[in-house]
Amino acid sequence: FLISSLFIIGMMGVLIRRNLLIIFMCVELMVTAANISLVAFGWELDSLSGQSFAVFTIAVAAAEAAVGLAIIIALSRRVRTVDVDEMRTLRD
């Protein structure tokens, strides 16, 4: 129940919010919920496969966070806002 609640909170944040940083944090919340479910399934199945998948997704999430924050910073410096509605177009 907790894992699905975290994922739904993250999904609703992505769908409702307009601030790019908040959307990014909600995506990270969804990835965290997926990691918790992988570890829980590994615990229930009494194997290390869930934990190994979770470690792999944590590494991918760290790389995604670094690249995502770099893109957000570059866009916010160019457009001077973090509002998604004002960043609809990437043209000059």
Side-chain angles (χ1 to χ4, degrees):
F1 181 71
L2 175 69
I3 299 168
S4 61
S5 300
L6 281 176
F7 192 84
I8 289 172
I9 289 170
M11 183 180 65
M12 293 307 292
V14 168
L15 294 175
I16 293 174
R17 296 295 184 153
R18 294 291 115 205
N19 189 341
L20 197 57
L21 294 172
I22 302 295
I23 292 172
F24 188 70
M25 288 191 312
C26 290
V27 168
E28 292 295 324
L29 187 65
M30 291 167 43
V31 170
T32 302
N35 281 333
I36 293 171
S37 68
L38 285 172
V39 171
F41 282 128
W43 183 269
E44 283 295 318
L45 295 175
D46 200 26
S47 69
L48 292 177
S49 61
Q51 285 87 352
S52 61
F53 280 134
V55 168
F56 178 72
T57 56
I58 288 170
V60 170
E64 179 251 340
V67 172
L69 283 176
I71 291 171
I72 290 172
I73 290 171
L75 281 174
S76 66
R77 285 185 180 175
R78 180 176 176 146
V79 183
R80 301 274 188 232
T81 185
V82 290
D83 190 15
V84 176
D85 291 331
E86 294 181 21
M87 284 191 195
R88 293 269 179 189
T89 180
L90 293 176
R91 289 181 257 145
D92 285 323

